[in-house]
Amino acid sequence: FSVQPLTILGVTGPFSVLAENIYTLCISSFKIPFLPFIAWALIHAGWMHFILAIFNAHDWTMRYVTTFSTEIFSLLNSIIYFHKAVQELQRAHDALSFAAFLYAVIGATGTMLVAIFLSTAECWAPLFHRYIRMGLVEYAAAISIIIFIGMPHVGELASLDKQTLQVSDHIFQPSDPGRSVFFVRFWHLPVSWIFAAMIPGFIITVLFFFDHEVSSIICTMDRYGTKKPGGFAWDIVLLGTTTALCGFLGIPPANGLLPQAPLHSESLLHTEKEEIFISAGNEPKTETHNVRRVYEQRWSAFLHAGAILVFISPPFQHVLGLTPTSVLAGLFMFMGEQSLAVNPILYRFFHLLTPPSELPELPKTVKSYWGVHAYTITQIVVTVVIFIVTLTKAAPAFPVIVIACVPVRLLLMNRIWQRETLRYVDAWASRDGTPEGDEDKKNGAANGEEGREDTELRTLQASTMTLDV
């Protein structure tokens, strides 16, 4: 139902961190039931999404966001994925024998490495047919998961104890034995806590809006040649609706996924022949060019949703329950690696380790790499600080810190770094150009206006002097 169907939705790592910390606060500090409280938080987040869409918040918020903030957020996503993988292996260490734990580490690492290996199948030419290589690339993670789900049941590995995903033992019932119905009894919460849930609701709104907008922008970049518009306002309305429904059902809400959204666009790239009319004198000519463009379709989202419905229903839910948690850890590591591999921070970090004589040549306007290195180190330090915050009781506030990077970049960093350095490493996230370029245009227009006024004043003075003579 979205305007732009390329954005892939799912439960993100940042929301998992947020939900875990809200759960800890509800149980340990507030002494209130978690599900009714998070249900109200998601309901509040739903109507806040509607307000953002009604006032078309995309136009007056995301236009100020630069890649400084989006790269930090992407790096934070990667770190959270790797941290989740480590947490899964820690749980396996506590629950399994030492031999089973060692295999869990091997299974997690193998799931990641096989998925990474298969994702490079496009480079295997001329080995296999082109469509076989494309299939291996598109389903690299799924193939790796299937391999390592089946491997623990082969040979002597079958005798090892296993930790698998928890699923319901009953047909169409929640996995939590304390719940007899799917709907959360959210009305069983004191009124004061209903209003207090507006605070996490606001934080969830900030996180979802920023995450979903960044995902939508990245997967519809100019290099993908998309024809359908972004449709940000309508998509935010749909996101608010699904967020509130997830609150009613007591399930984690989904929003734009990184890196799955841009990877989805990458997988749909194909070559088209495009005719371009060129006027050469009186005889117009037509030239045919090969253009890389994304195949915009809705089947991916439809099949994605359909597969989820299939695997939460018996007997497929039992198959899902066969998945070792080590495979889940490997999937987290693969997603973290995929997100990190396309992050410019990684490449600029490699420049930090590269001898000056081997560094690529900078534009003539940028004097040295010192400013670029300081910019990269600042991004890494800010990301680490935000991640450390996610490990404390202040974790629910981390989306606000991410958003605070936007005014810091626009109001503070341009006073520390040289303008040409910032122009080289940073740019607007949702439109062409850079903040420094826009300032130059504005100042140029202002100078032009002042020059025109000065010219008119001098003309008027000359005319007055002529009349006096």
Side-chain angles (χ1 to χ4, degrees):
F1 298 103
S2 64
V3 174
Q4 180 48 257
L6 291 177
T7 307
I8 295 295
L9 303 185
V11 181
T12 61
F15 177 78
S16 299
V17 171
L18 185 63
E20 287 177 5
N21 284 275
I22 293 175
Y23 174 82
T24 302
L25 289 173
C26 288
I27 301 302
S28 303
S29 302
F30 302 154
K31 307 298 181 183
I32 58 174
F34 167 70
L35 283 179
F37 184 77
I38 195 66
W40 276 109
L42 295 177
I43 292 169
H44 290 314
W47 62 260
M48 289 179 187
H49 277 77
F50 295 160
I51 291 177
L52 290 174
I54 290 170
F55 290 98
N56 199 17
H58 169 81
D59 287 348
W60 49 270
T61 56
M62 295 304 294
R63 68 189 307 268
Y64 298 107
V65 177
T66 68
T67 55
F68 173 76
S69 303
T70 58
E71 289 170 3
I72 287 175
F73 188 69
S74 179
L75 180 60
L76 178 66
N77 267 313
S78 300
I79 294 175
I80 288 175
Y81 277 129
F82 288 124
H83 182 245
K84 289 294 178 187
V86 173
Q87 285 183 319
E88 288 295 336
L89 292 177
Q90 284 179 333
R91 295 188 189 102
H93 178 268
D94 296 336
L96 302 175
S97 64
F98 185 68
F101 168 69
L102 289 179
Y103 175 74
V105 174
I106 295 173
T109 307
T111 302
M112 177 190 69
L113 293 179
V114 170
I116 293 174
F117 174 69
L118 294 177
S119 67
T120 63
E122 285 286 4
C123 304
W124 297 358
L127 188 65
F128 301 128
H129 191 276
R130 181 168 65 93
Y131 290 113
I132 295 178
R133 296 197 304 270
M134 289 175 58
L136 292 175
V137 171
E138 305 310 326
Y139 298 100
I143 294 171
S144 180
I145 289 172
I146 292 172
I147 290 173
F148 283 91
I149 287 177
M151 191 171 292
H153 302 279
V154 177
E156 295 184 4
L157 293 176
S159 61
L160 293 175
D161 47 331
K162 305 174 184 65
Q163 187 180 39
T164 58
L165 295 180
Q166 182 182 358
V167 297
S168 177
D169 296 329
H170 304 282
I171 298 178
F172 296 113
Q173 285 190 6
S175 56
D176 183 1
R179 294 178 62 186
S180 58
V181 294
F182 281 104
F183 287 97
V184 176
R185 295 183 174 90
F186 56 90
W187 54 88
H188 291 169
L189 193 69
V191 176
S192 58
W193 286 109
I194 292 176
F195 285 100
M198 293 178 68
I199 298 175
F202 171 76
I203 294 174
I204 292 171
T205 302
V206 170
L207 175 63
F208 277 25
F209 180 76
F210 186 79
D211 199 352
H212 194 84
E213 292 280 308
V214 170
S215 299
S216 300
I217 290 168
I218 292 177
C219 70
T220 56
M221 290 189 301
D222 292 340
R223 66 182 297 269
Y224 295 131
T226 53
K227 296 180 180 179
K228 292 185 176 66
F232 296 100
W234 174 246
D235 288 354
I236 291 299
V237 168
L238 293 178
L239 183 62
T241 303
T242 56
T243 299
L245 286 175
C246 288
F248 293 137
L249 294 172
I251 59 178
N255 66 307
L257 276 174
L258 291 173
Q260 285 84 350
L263 289 177
H264 179 229
S265 295
E266 289 285 344
S267 68
L268 295 172
L269 274 175
H270 65 287
T271 302
E272 289 183 356
K273 294 186 179 298
E274 188 176 82
E275 292 185 351
I276 300 177
F277 294 94
I278 301 175
S279 58
N282 297 327
E283 298 181 0
K285 295 183 179 179
T286 303
E287 292 185 358
T288 303
H289 295 271
N290 290 329
V291 179
R292 295 281 286 170
R293 181 163 286 140
V294 165
Y295 177 63
E296 298 175 66
Q297 41 78 33
R298 299 181 183 273
W299 284 105
S300 296
F302 178 76
L303 295 175
H304 184 197
I308 292 174
L309 289 175
V310 167
F311 275 96
I312 63 172
S313 60
F316 293 97
Q317 193 177 67
H318 175 70
V319 176
L320 191 65
L322 298 176
T323 306
T325 56
S326 60
V327 172
L328 192 64
L331 179 61
F332 286 154
M333 290 192 290
F334 173 68
M335 291 191 294
E337 184 275 336
Q338 292 289 291
S339 178
L340 186 62
V342 296
N343 195 325
I345 294 178
L346 178 66
Y347 300 100
R348 291 201 300 270
F349 175 75
F350 289 155
H351 289 165
L352 284 169
L353 308 177
T354 304
S357 59
E358 301 294 332
L359 288 171
E361 186 177 355
L362 288 170
K364 294 181 180 179
T365 53
V366 182
K367 296 180 179 179
S368 70
Y369 263 98
W370 287 108
V372 178
H373 293 338
Y375 180 89
T376 304
I377 292 172
T378 300
Q379 285 185 302
I380 294 173
V381 170
V382 171
T383 307
V384 172
V385 169
I386 297 173
F387 175 69
I388 292 174
V389 170
T390 64
L391 304 178
T392 67
K393 290 186 177 181
F398 84 88
V400 179
I401 304 175
V402 175
I403 298 300
C405 293
V406 177
V408 167
R409 161 63 182 92
L410 297 178
L411 302 177
L412 179 61
M413 292 181 64
N414 55 0
R415 301 182 181 182
I416 302 174
W417 275 265
Q418 294 181 353
R419 292 170 55 82
E420 296 304 323
T421 300
L422 292 176
R423 195 196 303 269
Y424 173 68
V425 296
D426 198 14
W428 295 118
S430 60
R431 52 197 173 100
D432 295 332
T434 65
E436 288 66 36
D438 288 3
E439 287 180 10
D440 291 343
K441 291 179 182 178
K442 184 178 179 180
N443 293 334
N447 292 335
E449 184 67 22
E450 290 176 1
R452 186 179 63 81
E453 292 176 355
D454 290 343
T455 303
E456 292 177 353
L457 180 59
R458 285 194 296 270
T459 303
L460 180 61
Q461 289 173 346
S463 301
T464 304
M465 292 173 63
T466 303
L467 291 173
D468 289 342
V469 172

